[in-house]
Amino acid sequence: MKNSDPDLTQLQSPLSLNIRVEGQSYLYFSGTAYLGIPQNPDFMAFYQEGLKKFGLNNGTSRGNNVQLGIYNEAEHYAAQYFGAEEALITSSGYLAAQLLVRHYTAYGKVLYAPQTHPALWLNEAPAVGGTFSSWAENALTHINTSKQNKWLLVSNALNNLFPERYDFSFLKEIHPDNEVILIVDDSHGIGVLDDGRGVLNLIAAPKHVKVVVVASMAKALGVDAGIILGTRALVAGLKKSNVFMGASPPAAAGLYAFMHAKALYRAELNRLKQHMETFSAGINPEEWDFIPDYPVYLSKDRNLYTKLLQHHILISSFPYPDQNGPSLNRVVLSSWASPESINELLEAIAAQKEYP
């Protein structure tokens, strides 16, 4: 951050389309609130109903002999909503991911895809690099030529930094004498892709490959919780684990709001799609990396953050892969944007104002 740049680390107001920094107003096109839920008054009303019904939180574990019924109800609802046999909900996406991957530690040979989220690491960062497509090709060859016949594949559903939907079609070429479990982190796709259902039903897998989805519900869905979507047998096993039995669940009010927000989620996703259509049509595709139906746009202009800052517009910007790397400048759209704000953003991008 240059001395003239605003300090964005001490905000005293919630993130929304308009945020105030050091007395100045900025348009905000960053974050992960794709459906604008943190500032949605209808969702807040559902949440307040949940607060009145269930209180602020529930510090007792899921193994307690006294239970709120909404947790099982919410898991049953989520399974139907996302198209899974069963669902399990925890207090965070990180806990759900660790619960899942550690459950399968001894299942078989573990193969991590590149860029897999740290929440799914067993210990240190997996020693894997390159592209997803090259990894998939190598994994297929390794599985089909090995004497090992049990495999655990761990991957994100997509890359939200360099926008890319991962292609899991290679699963169909895995020889049927192998038993494979694919764990997919869909934290950035759930609520957005496949009309909000996420990637679970978009991954075509043969019978000998079981697909399990884990995700944070705190992004598009706006609920501080984590979710696992899988088979009845898997979820039943996870619910017997010491971690699940001993951990406190998420606030019941958030799950109450989630269960009442189906129409709201649909309306916000439709609004987001309109914003994506407008923005995609207004930019030069040769100057951006993006994928259809996903609200993240990576600019090839390393100075875009600074240029837009002069227009009082904030986008996502940070060095990658470390503090010495070049800046990744991304525009992230949310349904809380207005048509006017999208046009203002496009005009600022087109202006290409020189940075002194």
Side-chain angles (χ1 to χ4, degrees):
M1 185 179 74
K2 298 180 178 62
N3 292 334
S4 58
D5 290 349
D7 183 1
L8 304 175
T9 64
Q10 302 294 328
L11 300 183
Q12 299 298 317
S13 58
L15 297 177
S16 62
L17 173 60
N18 295 282
I19 63 174
R20 294 194 66 80
V21 184
E22 299 174 354
Q24 300 292 316
S25 180
Y26 292 80
L27 285 177
Y28 177 69
F29 292 98
S30 185
T32 60
Y34 306 121
L35 301 183
I37 298 303
Q39 291 297 315
N40 188 291
D42 293 329
F43 193 87
M44 289 182 183
F46 289 138
Y47 204 105
Q48 288 171 346
E49 289 178 14
L51 286 174
K52 292 177 181 179
K53 188 175 180 66
F54 297 107
L56 288 173
N57 77 322
N58 178 7
T60 61
S61 68
R62 292 292 295 272
N64 196 285
N65 65 314
V66 179
Q67 292 287 324
L68 292 177
I70 190 172
Y71 293 111
N72 287 333
E73 294 167 9
E75 288 168 339
H76 179 70
Y77 174 85
Q80 292 185 321
Y81 189 96
F82 298 115
E85 286 187 12
E86 292 289 348
L88 178 153
I89 294 176
T90 65
S91 58
S92 73
Y94 182 87
L95 178 60
Q98 284 290 297
L99 173 63
L100 182 58
V101 75
R102 294 188 181 280
H103 177 78
Y104 281 120
T105 298
Y107 177 80
K109 178 71 173 179
V110 182
L111 297 178
Y112 276 95
Q115 306 295 328
T116 299
H117 194 278
L120 284 166
W121 298 353
L122 282 169
N123 295 297
E124 298 180 354
V128 58
T131 65
F132 180 88
S133 58
S134 64
W135 171 83
E137 183 178 349
N138 293 334
L140 179 63
T141 300
H142 191 41
I143 292 171
N144 285 343
T145 59
S146 174
K147 294 181 180 180
Q148 170 79 31
N149 68 347
K150 285 193 173 183
W151 301 86
L152 178 65
L153 308 183
V154 187
S155 175
N156 296 343
L158 52 80
N159 187 334
N160 70 307
L161 298 182
F162 301 88
E164 177 187 2
R165 278 274 303 278
Y166 290 151
D167 182 2
F168 292 95
S169 60
F170 75 95
L171 298 173
K172 294 181 288 187
E173 300 181 47
I174 295 177
H175 293 166
D177 54 344
N178 292 289
E179 297 178 23
V180 179
I181 292 175
L182 170 65
I183 295 177
V184 179
D185 185 340
D186 195 28
S187 295
H188 291 274
I190 199 166
V192 176
L193 300 178
D194 192 24
D195 288 329
R197 291 183 291 269
V199 301
L200 180 61
N201 296 293
L202 297 178
I203 299 176
K207 290 183 179 181
H208 54 284
V209 178
K210 292 183 173 60
V211 180
V212 187
V213 165
V214 61
S216 166
M217 299 176 71
K219 296 175 173 56
L221 300 174
V223 178
D224 289 325
I227 190 167
I228 295 171
L229 301 167
T231 64
R232 292 184 179 88
L234 165 66
V235 171
L238 291 174
K239 285 191 171 184
K240 295 177 183 178
S241 69
N242 292 332
V243 173
F244 178 79
M245 295 288 284
S248 296
L255 297 183
Y256 178 90
F258 163 70
M259 293 173 65
H260 287 78
K262 185 175 182 178
L264 187 155
Y265 285 139
R266 184 182 300 114
E268 293 303 314
L269 181 55
N270 287 337
R271 186 173 290 108
L272 177 61
K273 289 179 178 179
Q274 292 173 1
H275 293 335
M276 288 189 284
E277 182 177 345
T278 299
F279 187 77
S280 299
I283 58 176
N284 182 349
E286 296 182 358
E287 298 174 353
W288 298 79
D289 288 322
F290 60 98
I291 53 180
D293 299 322
Y294 191 64
V296 176
Y297 300 79
L298 175 65
S299 173
K300 297 177 183 178
D301 182 355
R302 294 183 180 179
N303 296 316
L304 183 65
Y305 170 81
T306 305
K307 293 175 181 178
L308 293 182
L309 192 61
Q310 298 177 55
H311 295 265
H312 279 221
I313 295 175
L314 291 171
I315 63 171
S316 172
S317 181
F318 54 87
Y320 183 89
D322 54 43
Q323 291 300 315
N324 298 317
S327 293
L328 291 183
N329 292 320
R330 300 178 306 145
V331 167
V332 182
L333 301 181
S334 169
S335 66
W336 62 30
S338 64
E340 293 78 14
S341 68
I342 299 293
N343 289 332
E344 185 173 343
L345 173 61
L346 288 170
E347 290 173 2
I349 292 172
Q352 292 293 301
K353 186 174 181 180
E354 291 294 331
Y355 179 68

